[in-house]
Amino acid sequence: MKILIAVPCFNEQSDISSCINNLKLAIKSFNKEFEYEIAIFDDGSYDQTNSIVSTFKNITYIKTKQNYGLAKVFNNIIYYAKSLNFDHFLVFDADNQYPYKEIPMILNEALENNADITLGIRNFQKSEVFSKFKSFLQIFGSFTISLLLGMKILDATTGFRVYSSKAIENLYVTNSFSYTIETLFAAKS
């Protein structure tokens, strides 16, 4: 089984080294024998992200010449995963806002449930990234999306996700901002 670990990034020179190191630790802790590839999808960074990534071995680095936004990066990830016949891909943001130690858990959950999309969940109450108001908006927004889709979703905008080969084959994002909500509605239909 081939699994792509896709890392969208834009000007992440302060976090990209720890992100890559954390991903390598997560892969080592996964108890299944799979073929993994870590690929950094750089959305036109103009900082030192490129030179930092180049110091790592066995990391694929794909960079656009300008910043197109997260939706375009997601479509690039899908195209890459499809063209190289990956069975699953995991999205993990370069800013380390997701716990890398949960990568084996989310992959196991995706595989055991044969799910097309598996979502990681952020803890908004304990987040240092989100203010109380932003946490409220995230929780309320996820609740609203849950009602619209008819399924319980605790973190509708999480970027910590696993997509199956079926999702890879069928998804394409048309908006220009993000992919998180649109892919949930596309998967439901």
Side-chain angles (χ1 to χ4, degrees):
M1 182 168 298
K2 288 174 59 177
I3 297 176
L4 171 65
I5 300 175
V7 181
C9 76
F10 175 69
N11 290 339
E12 294 289 351
Q13 70 182 15
S14 61
D15 293 318
I16 197 68
S17 289
S18 60
C19 176
I20 293 169
N21 287 325
N22 290 341
L23 291 173
K24 288 183 174 201
L25 287 172
I27 290 169
K28 285 181 185 177
S29 70
F30 200 53
N31 59 0
K32 295 189 172 143
E33 294 293 321
F34 294 129
E35 184 181 331
Y36 293 95
E37 179 180 335
I38 298 172
I40 310 299
F41 289 82
D42 187 334
D43 190 26
S45 293
Y46 49 82
D47 65 358
Q48 296 301 309
T49 300
N50 181 18
S51 59
I52 294 168
V53 173
S54 69
T55 65
F56 288 90
K57 293 181 179 171
N58 302 318
I59 300 294
T60 301
Y61 184 72
I62 299 163
K63 181 177 179 176
T64 58
K65 292 183 180 180
Q66 67 183 52
N67 181 262
Y68 290 103
L70 195 51
K72 177 74 172 160
V73 171
F74 182 78
N75 285 334
N76 289 343
I77 293 168
I78 286 187
Y79 176 79
Y80 185 81
K82 192 185 298 188
S83 66
L84 294 176
N85 296 314
F86 280 94
D87 297 298
H88 289 82
F89 74 84
L90 177 137
V91 180
F92 190 86
D93 289 350
D95 63 5
N96 294 303
Q97 69 173 294
Y98 305 112
Y100 72 91
K101 291 179 181 178
E102 291 182 11
I103 289 174
M105 183 181 70
I106 194 172
L107 283 171
N108 275 328
E109 187 173 325
L111 297 172
E112 288 172 9
N113 294 318
N114 199 25
D116 291 324
I117 302 175
T118 304
L119 305 177
I121 302 165
R122 294 169 285 188
N123 185 339
F124 297 116
Q125 279 80 23
K126 293 185 179 179
S127 176
E128 295 176 13
V129 177
F130 294 112
S131 66
K132 288 184 181 192
F133 182 69
K134 189 171 180 183
S135 293
F136 167 77
L137 290 176
Q138 291 287 340
I139 293 166
F140 181 74
S142 294
F143 174 75
T144 304
I145 297 297
S146 295
L147 290 176
L148 292 170
L149 290 174
M151 62 178 62
K152 187 175 183 179
I153 297 176
L154 299 174
D155 189 357
T157 61
T158 182
F160 186 30
R161 299 170 174 224
V162 176
Y163 292 88
S164 71
S165 58
K166 181 179 173 188
I168 293 168
E169 201 57 43
N170 293 305
L171 289 177
Y172 182 82
V173 176
T174 58
N175 80 66
S176 60
F177 179 66
S178 182
Y179 65 92
T180 57
I181 304 296
E182 185 176 341
T183 56
L184 295 176
F185 280 94
K188 180 69 176 173
S189 59

